């Protein structure tokens, strides 16, 4: 007799391939039949098939049932009930679509040149130029063929070949690329997909059987009300194309598409594997006619920093094919057949964009320190060794947290010693002697491992996890310690133990470490016997006996996420109480102060490895607390270093002491807001705003470049809007004053630091017919809060510029500093 249970889907993207593969694996553990029915639309599917589950079109907040029929139904119901309630909600997360739907007013610096523009939807930011190339779509009907001898063997060989290729590629990949290839592996191995094709092989060729399955699945997905699920059709087509080309290697379908020079590729659709086959050094942009923000190809484009637009048809730009074209995915346009003015605009835009990238890149590799020279190590958090090289490329000064439990998940058995040794060694070699803190497995709690058969718990965060399970799984723990100790000869490794709450626990760990060292010595294995040992500070009890722990370990790393939730007794994933979760709580700040001060008294090093470390607003408090290290996700490192450099260590200390005396979170937030408001602004005149000599082709490029420079030096957060404000004033009346001088100006809310920008041109440019050519530009961009200061400065400048001696002195200035000094003196600024 069938049994049934009902749930509600809480996954932000519904049941798509990734969560479906998780659910399918759990259902596959049982002999009974398991079916999922979406109660919104009545769609029913085999829960042991990824594609069948996806075809139910189960979206966020849809109610669905699981039906069980078979001998082990009761066991399956128990397992699935716990799984759906406790684990399934965490197997997916809301997508970062990185699409800004806010309309952008195109810059006058561009529009005044009357460009030929095609507007698209912005999917991946950036600017590029190259030949516009039309990608040749593969016509799958080319593969239609008559049935031949032993079609089953043909299909099985092709299937094995593609699976092997995908597995090899997945092993070399990381990040989004690895996730997407893994999703394709799930599709190609899905039993609905494979069994459906094989069932058709009795009366069809391999090609026809594959194409029939593509049509069947695509029809189901196209009827979904979810754009995310409709976009998975392209993944089905991608996998099927690979199968077909493997099954019929003699059929020429023009799959060879090679870029030979910088190019912008336009295509109706581009599959992930087709994208990965393009030379990224030559690919300057993508225009995908029908792609959405959650397309796997678009996700890859973002990962590879390829500017990408959608919503532009190939027929709209047929006359521009094979000619130079610009793509500006920040503005959402492509510019075809550029005239000279458009050419200058986009080349300047590309230069500004590249300067910003280079500036960030250069900052990433500077030592992290405050304005007054206090150094704080900025490190990266990683989950697997393949992330390490990219983390160091982004400026990491070490690995502050290597979450090794990820090596144990999504597999049928634990990695052995040599496999772990390889992972740890890979990270250490990438670090080139920078510190790598390897945290031992934090398994259990919210990270269950199926092959360990840990018990279900009502409150897993406070339960049987991390160091608490080590005595039961001693062999597993010893194996990991052996691998870390052996890997440590290849770099600067440290061992960190999670969830320690007592001196007894850390002493037990130290005994196990000595046992393992003795084993390795007896086996004559090479290892590092002097590896530093530290603990995570995430359980409040540790803070109250931190002096005792200083006698046992070499360093500490504060897990701000768990420490906050344990200290405040707030489950940050519980919507009913999540608003109470806040690391600015004075209790947390005082605890942080206690840990750092005491540890430093004993000569111990203290880091912080939670999400708090990358919060720019909170950074002054972390500096003031005296932390030795802060670790975070790698993409946030450069920005954090730049922010760190703007703060003074002594000021931060005073701020932190004040924060610790605040009675409420609101008071701490007010204190931070006040400190930010009172922070000294950049000076009105500075050499960073002087461009001498300057090379501009026209007035439009001059304003674009000077406003763009304000963005580069951090004086405006929106160069487009600030430029619009400058042009608004310019169009009321010309700011050319004659004698070769112009003073464009605005009072704007889009300037963070009021600024006077100066450009001394190599060659004069036409400013406006009634004011003649200009070779010296002084641009005033003052904040609205400063009243009529911009008009007072404008008037003062205009009076000074009447005198030829003043003009000659400005032009004769030898360098930027001399220009600044002269203006400061003459204008009394």
């Amino acid at each position: 007799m069938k049994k049934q249970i009902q749930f509600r889907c809480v996954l932000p993207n519904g049941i798509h391939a990734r969560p479906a593969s998780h659910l399918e694996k759990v259902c596959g553990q049982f002999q009974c039949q398991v079916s999922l029915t979406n109660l919104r639309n009545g769609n029913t599917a085999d829960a042991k098939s990824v594609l069948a589950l996806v075809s139910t079109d189960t979206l966020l907040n849809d109610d669905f049932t699981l039906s069980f029929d078979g001998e082990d139904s009761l066991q399956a119901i128990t397992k699935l009930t716990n799984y759906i309630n406790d684990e399934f909600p965490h197997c997916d997360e809301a997508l970062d679509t990185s699409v800004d739907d806010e309309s952008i007013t195109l810059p006058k610096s561009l529009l005044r040149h009357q460009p030929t523009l095609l507007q698209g939807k912005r999917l991946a930011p950036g600017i590029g130029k190259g030949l516009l190339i039309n990608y040749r779509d593969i016509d799958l009907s080319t593969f239609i063929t008559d049935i031949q001898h032993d079609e089953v063997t043909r299909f099985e060989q092709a299937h094995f070949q593609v699976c092997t290729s995908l597995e090899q590629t997945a092993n070399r990949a990381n990040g989004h690329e690895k996730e997407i290839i893994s999703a394709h592996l799930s599709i190609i191995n899905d039993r609905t997909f494979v069994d459906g094709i094989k069932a058709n092989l009795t009366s069809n060729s391999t090609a026809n059987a594959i194409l029939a399955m593509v049509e069947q699945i695509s029809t189901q997905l196209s009827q979904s009300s979810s754009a995310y699920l409709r976009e998975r059709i392209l993944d089905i087509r991608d996998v099927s194309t690979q199968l077909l080309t493997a099954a019929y290697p003699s059929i020429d379908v023009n799959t060879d598409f090679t870029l030979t020079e910088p190019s912008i590729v336009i295509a109706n659709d581009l599959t992930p594997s087709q994208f990965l086959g393009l030379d990224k050094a030559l690919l300057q942009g993508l225009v995908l006619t029908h792609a959405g923000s959650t397309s796997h190809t678009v996700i890859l484009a973002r990962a590879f920093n390829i500017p990408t637009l959608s919503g532009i048809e190939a027929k709209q730009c047929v006359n521009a094919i094979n000619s130079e074209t610009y793509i500006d995915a920040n503005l959402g346009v492509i510019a075809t057949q550029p005239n000279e003015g458009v050419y200058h605009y986009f080349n300047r835009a590309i230069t500004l964009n590249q300067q910003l990238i280079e500036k960030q890149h250069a900052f990433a590799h500077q030592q992290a320190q405050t304005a007054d020279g206090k150094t704080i190590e900025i490190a990266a958090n990683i989950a697997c060794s393949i992330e390490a090289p990219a983390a160091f490329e982004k400026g990491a000064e070490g690995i502050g947290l290597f979450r090794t439990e990820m090596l144990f998940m999504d597999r049928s058995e634990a990695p052995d010693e040599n496999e772990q040794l390889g992972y740890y060694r890979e990270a250490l070699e990438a670090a080139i002697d920078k510190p790598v803190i390897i945290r031992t497995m934090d398994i259990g709690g919210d990270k269950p491992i199926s092959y360990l058969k840990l018990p279900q718990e009502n409150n897993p965060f406070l339960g049987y996890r991390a160091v608490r399970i080590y005595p039961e799984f001693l062999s597993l723990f010893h194996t990991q310690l052996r691998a870390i100790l052996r890997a440590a000869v290849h770099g600067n490794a440290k061992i960190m133990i999670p969830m320690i709450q007592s001196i007894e626990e850390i002493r037990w760990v130290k005994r196990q470490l000595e046992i393992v060292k003795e084993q390795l010595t007896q086996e004559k294995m090479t290892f590092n016997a002097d590896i530093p040992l530290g603990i995570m500070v995430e359980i409040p009890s540790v803070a109250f006996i931190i002096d005792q722990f200083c006698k046992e370990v070499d360093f500490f790393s504060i897990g701000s996420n768990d420490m906050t939730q344990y200290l405040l007794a707030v489950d940050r994933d519980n919507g009913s109480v999540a608003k109470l979760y806040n690391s600015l709580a004075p209790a947390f700040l005082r605890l942080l102060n206690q840990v750092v001060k005491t540890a430093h008294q004993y000569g111990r090093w203290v880091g912080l490895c939670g999400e708090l470390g990358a919060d720019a607003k909170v950074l002054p408090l972390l500096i003031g607390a005296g932390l030795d290290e802060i670790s975070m996700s790698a993409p946030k490192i450069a920005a954090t270093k730049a922010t760190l450099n703007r703060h003074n260590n002594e000021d931060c200390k005073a701020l932190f002491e004040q924060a610790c005396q605040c009675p409420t979170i609101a008071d701490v937030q007010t204190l931070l807001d006040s400190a930010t408001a009172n922070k000294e602004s950049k000076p009105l005149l500075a050499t960073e705003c002087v461009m001498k000599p300057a090379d501009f082709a026209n007035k439009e490029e001059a304003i674009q470049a000077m406003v763009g420079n304000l963005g580069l030096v951090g004086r405006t957060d929106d160069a487009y809007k600030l430029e619009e404000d400058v042009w608004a004033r310019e169009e009321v009346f010309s700011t050319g004053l004659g004698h070769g001088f112009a003073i464009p100006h605005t009072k704007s809310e889009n300037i963070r630091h009021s600024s006077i920008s100066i450009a001394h041109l190599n060659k004069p440019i036409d400013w406006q017919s009634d004011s003649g050519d200009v070779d010296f530009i002084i641009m005033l961009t003052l904040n609205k809060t400063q009243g009529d200061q911009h008009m007072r400065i404008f008037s003062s400048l205009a009076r000074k510029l009447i005198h030829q001696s003043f003009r000659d002195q400005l032009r004769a200035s030898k360098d930027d500093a001399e220009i600044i000094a002269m203006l400061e003196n003459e204008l009394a600024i």
Side-chain angles (χ1 to χ4, degrees):
M1 181 177 177
K2 283 189 177 181
K3 298 175 177 61
Q4 194 175 82
I5 48 178
Q6 183 171 328
F7 303 97
R8 174 162 292 181
C9 179
V10 297
L11 300 174
N13 307 303
I15 300 180
H16 60 91
R18 190 164 61 250
S21 66
H22 287 277
L23 182 56
E24 174 264 336
K25 287 176 183 175
V26 178
C27 294
Q29 298 172 16
F30 302 96
Q31 296 298 315
C32 62
Q33 294 180 354
V34 187
S35 301
L36 184 146
T37 299
N38 183 338
L39 298 181
R40 173 176 57 85
N41 55 28
N43 291 344
T44 298
D46 178 1
K48 297 181 181 181
S49 163
V50 172
L51 289 174
L53 286 168
V54 171
S55 71
T56 63
D57 192 25
T58 302
L59 308 179
L60 175 65
N61 293 326
D62 279 356
D63 291 317
F64 66 92
T65 61
L66 288 177
S67 301
F68 303 83
D69 190 5
E71 291 184 1
D72 55 357
S73 291
L74 290 178
Q75 297 96 306
I77 288 173
T78 300
K79 175 72 173 180
L80 266 296
T81 299
N82 291 330
Y83 174 77
I84 296 290
N85 288 330
D86 300 333
E87 299 178 42
F88 197 48
H90 304 295
C91 70
D92 192 30
E93 58 186 16
L95 286 169
D96 175 13
T97 58
S98 299
V99 176
D100 183 1
D101 290 328
E102 181 185 351
S103 61
I104 287 183
T105 301
L106 297 179
K108 290 283 195 307
S109 298
L110 172 60
L111 295 180
R112 285 166 63 95
H113 296 301
Q114 299 181 321
T116 302
L117 301 176
L118 293 172
Q119 195 96 28
K121 181 179 180 181
R122 292 169 286 151
L123 296 180
I127 310 174
K129 71 173 178 178
L131 290 189
L132 186 64
I133 306 293
N134 199 355
Y135 195 92
R136 295 185 299 271
D137 288 333
I138 296 175
D139 182 2
L140 295 186
S141 65
T142 305
F143 291 100
I144 295 176
T145 183
D146 294 333
I147 190 168
Q148 299 177 25
H149 178 68
D150 202 356
E151 293 290 350
V152 172
T153 300
R154 179 195 296 272
F155 170 72
E156 288 178 344
Q157 289 176 344
H159 185 269
F160 175 79
Q161 179 181 328
V162 176
C163 284
T164 301
S165 176
L166 286 173
E167 287 169 356
Q168 291 172 346
T169 306
N171 289 335
R172 296 192 301 268
N174 57 61
H176 287 302
E177 183 180 354
K178 188 179 188 75
E179 290 177 13
I180 291 166
I181 294 169
S182 297
H184 285 190
L185 269 168
S186 295
I187 291 171
I188 202 169
N189 286 314
D190 183 79
R191 73 180 192 177
T192 295
F193 186 68
V194 174
D195 292 351
I197 293 172
K198 285 184 174 180
N200 283 327
L201 290 177
T202 55
S203 56
N204 286 282
S205 67
T206 297
N208 291 353
I210 292 172
L211 292 172
M213 184 54 57
V214 171
E215 179 65 24
Q216 176 185 328
I217 297 171
S218 297
T219 299
Q220 291 174 333
L221 292 177
S222 66
Q223 294 170 353
S224 172
S225 52
S226 164
Y228 183 89
L229 295 181
R230 291 195 300 272
E231 286 171 359
R232 301 290 73 77
I233 293 174
L234 197 60
D235 296 292
I236 301 298
R237 179 185 172 91
D238 193 341
V239 168
S240 301
T241 301
Q242 294 178 65
L243 278 173
L244 288 165
T245 52
Y248 298 93
S250 61
I251 295 180
D252 182 9
V253 289
N254 279 329
T255 56
D256 183 22
F257 185 86
T258 304
L259 301 179
T260 58
E261 56 186 302
S263 303
I264 298 167
V265 172
I266 184 167
N268 289 329
D269 280 318
L270 201 64
T271 68
S273 63
Q274 288 168 340
F275 172 85
L276 293 171
L278 296 173
D279 185 341
K280 307 308 178 300
L282 296 176
L283 181 62
Q284 300 300 301
L286 276 181
V287 181
L288 302 174
T289 302
H290 302 300
S293 60
T294 58
S295 157
H296 279 165
T297 301
V298 172
I299 291 171
L300 287 171
R302 291 189 202 113
F304 282 93
N305 301 313
I306 304 297
T308 304
L309 299 175
S310 71
I312 299 174
E313 301 282 346
K315 62 184 179 184
Q316 292 178 264
C317 42
V318 64
N319 293 331
I321 297 298
N322 295 323
S323 65
E324 186 171 67
T325 298
Y326 290 92
I327 181 170
D328 189 329
N330 300 329
L331 294 175
V333 298
I334 61 171
T336 61
Q337 301 169 320
N339 58 35
E340 185 177 359
V342 173
Y343 171 87
H344 284 295
Y345 171 85
F346 278 110
N347 282 351
R348 175 67 64 178
I350 290 171
T351 298
L352 287 168
N353 195 58
Q354 188 60 38
Q355 286 174 336
L356 182 60
I357 292 171
E358 290 173 358
K359 183 176 181 180
Q360 291 175 339
H361 184 76
F363 218 109
H365 294 284
Q366 292 179 13
Q367 184 178 43
Q369 62 181 12
T370 61
D372 54 344
K374 166 70 174 176
T375 59
I376 300 176
E377 183 181 309
I378 303 297
N381 299 332
I382 64 172
C384 56
S385 56
I386 202 166
E387 295 179 71
F392 291 111
E393 177 63 26
K394 288 180 170 65
E397 297 174 337
I399 301 299
L401 174 62
F402 185 165
R403 299 183 178 95
T404 62
E405 57 273 5
M406 301 304 174
L407 308 179
F408 294 77
M409 301 174 74
D410 297 324
R411 53 192 300 158
S412 59
E413 59 184 18
D416 63 22
E417 182 178 326
N418 285 331
E419 185 179 353
Q420 290 187 61
L421 169 63
Y423 284 125
Y424 307 145
R425 177 175 178 172
E426 185 178 1
L428 287 163
E429 289 178 340
I432 314 176
D433 286 332
K434 294 185 179 74
V436 176
I437 299 177
I438 303 173
R439 186 178 71 180
T440 54
M441 52 191 176
D442 185 3
I443 291 171
D446 59 331
K447 307 182 197 76
I449 303 294
S450 59
Y451 52 82
L452 297 185
K453 296 180 172 57
L454 294 171
Q456 294 292 328
E457 299 180 84
N458 292 330
N459 195 337
F461 286 102
L462 297 178
Y464 195 47
R465 60 177 286 199
V467 71
R468 298 172 180 180
I469 75 166
Y470 294 175
E472 180 180 352
F473 301 99
L474 193 58
S475 175
L476 199 67
F477 182 47
H478 280 186
T479 298
Q480 182 171 38
L481 291 178
R482 288 171 60 95
I484 295 172
L485 290 169
R486 290 175 61 196
V489 300
H490 300 285
N492 183 4
K494 302 178 182 181
I495 297 177
M496 183 162 67
I497 311 298
M499 282 294 285
I500 289 287
Q501 61 98 13
S502 68
I503 295 294
E504 291 88 344
E505 282 178 329
I506 194 59
R507 287 178 176 171
W508 179 86
V509 168
K510 291 169 72 174
R511 286 197 298 273
Q512 306 314 308
L513 196 54
E514 291 306 313
I515 290 170
V516 168
K517 289 178 181 178
E518 180 60 29
Q519 290 174 350
L520 292 171
T521 300
Q522 291 178 358
E523 296 169 24
K524 297 183 179 180
M525 291 279 194
T526 303
F527 70 97
N528 182 354
D530 299 318
I531 187 169
L533 176 67
I535 65 168
M536 289 282 292
V537 180
E538 49 197 337
I539 297 177
S541 61
V542 171
F544 295 99
I545 51 171
I546 197 73
D547 57 328
Q548 298 300 323
F549 276 102
C550 288
K551 302 171 186 177
E552 303 288 342
V553 300
D554 303 299
F555 68 93
F556 303 95
S557 186
I558 299 168
S560 62
N561 301 342
D562 278 349
M563 176 63 89
T564 301
Q565 101 171 331
Y566 293 147
L567 181 67
L568 303 181
V570 174
D571 179 356
R572 64 181 185 271
D573 294 323
N574 183 331
S576 300
V577 296
K579 62 183 179 182
L580 302 175
Y581 176 89
N582 194 321
S583 296
L584 291 181
F588 175 83
L589 298 179
R590 290 189 178 194
L591 183 143
L592 177 63
N593 189 40
Q594 164 74 9
V595 171
V596 176
K597 278 190 172 180
T598 306
H600 283 176
Q601 287 172 5
Y602 284 83
R604 297 295 183 260
W605 175 97
V606 186
L608 183 141
C609 61
E611 295 172 7
L612 196 66
D615 189 331
K617 184 176 180 179
V618 181
L619 186 60
L621 295 180
L622 303 183
I623 298 169
L627 288 163
D628 302 290
E629 178 251 37
I630 304 170
S631 66
M632 61 201 64
S633 62
K636 298 177 180 178
I637 288 173
T640 300
K641 285 186 175 183
T643 304
L644 181 70
N645 193 245
R646 295 198 294 266
H647 291 289
N648 182 291
N649 182 51
E650 293 303 317
D651 292 341
C652 291
K653 281 183 180 179
L655 183 69
F656 181 69
E657 289 174 5
Q658 287 179 270
C660 287
Q661 299 306 313
C662 288
T664 69
I665 293 171
D667 290 322
V668 176
Q669 290 172 328
T670 299
L671 180 67
L672 286 176
D673 291 340
S674 176
T676 301
N678 293 331
K679 188 173 177 60
E680 183 180 353
S681 296
K682 291 192 174 192
L684 190 62
L685 281 162
T687 56
E688 67 182 12
C689 296
V690 179
M691 307 175 82
K692 173 185 171 66
D695 240 338
F696 303 138
N698 46 56
K699 173 181 179 177
E700 290 77 15
E701 188 180 359
I703 291 178
Q704 174 198 12
M706 295 178 77
V707 173
N709 181 64
L710 292 174
L712 283 177
V713 298
R715 289 173 175 254
T716 177
D717 295 320
D718 195 327
Y720 291 135
K721 288 184 178 178
L722 181 60
E723 184 184 331
E724 189 177 346
D725 293 338
V726 172
W727 278 110
R729 172 65 68 179
E730 193 69 25
E731 291 182 345
V732 173
F733 57 83
S734 172
T735 55
L737 299 182
H739 306 293
F741 279 78
I743 313 178
H745 57 280
T746 185
K747 183 168 67 173
S748 169
E749 62 185 13
N750 295 307
I751 186 77
R752 186 200 301 171
H753 302 282
S754 292
S755 308
I756 298 179
S757 301
I758 298 138
H760 189 182
L761 282 61
N762 280 326
K763 291 170 55 179
I765 57 174
D766 178 34
W767 195 258
Q768 195 141 323
S769 58
D770 60 352
S771 56
D773 289 349
V774 162
D775 72 329
F776 211 105
I777 306 168
I778 303 174
M779 184 174 74
L780 313 179
T781 48
L782 305 185
N783 194 281
K784 280 190 173 182
T785 60
Q786 296 182 282
D788 62 353
Q789 185 186 18
H790 75 295
M791 289 311 299
R792 286 189 281 109
I793 296 176
F794 180 89
S795 299
S796 179
L797 268 173
R799 288 194 300 270
K800 295 286 184 183
L801 289 169
I802 293 173
H803 304 288
Q804 183 172 341
S805 59
F806 180 74
R807 300 195 303 269
D808 291 346
Q809 192 177 351
L810 274 176
R811 287 192 173 102
S813 299
K814 296 188 295 294
D815 54 33
D816 300 352
E818 188 173 332
I819 291 177
I820 294 299
M822 179 183 172
L823 288 175
E824 284 178 336
N825 181 61
E826 293 291 338
L827 301 177
I829 294 174

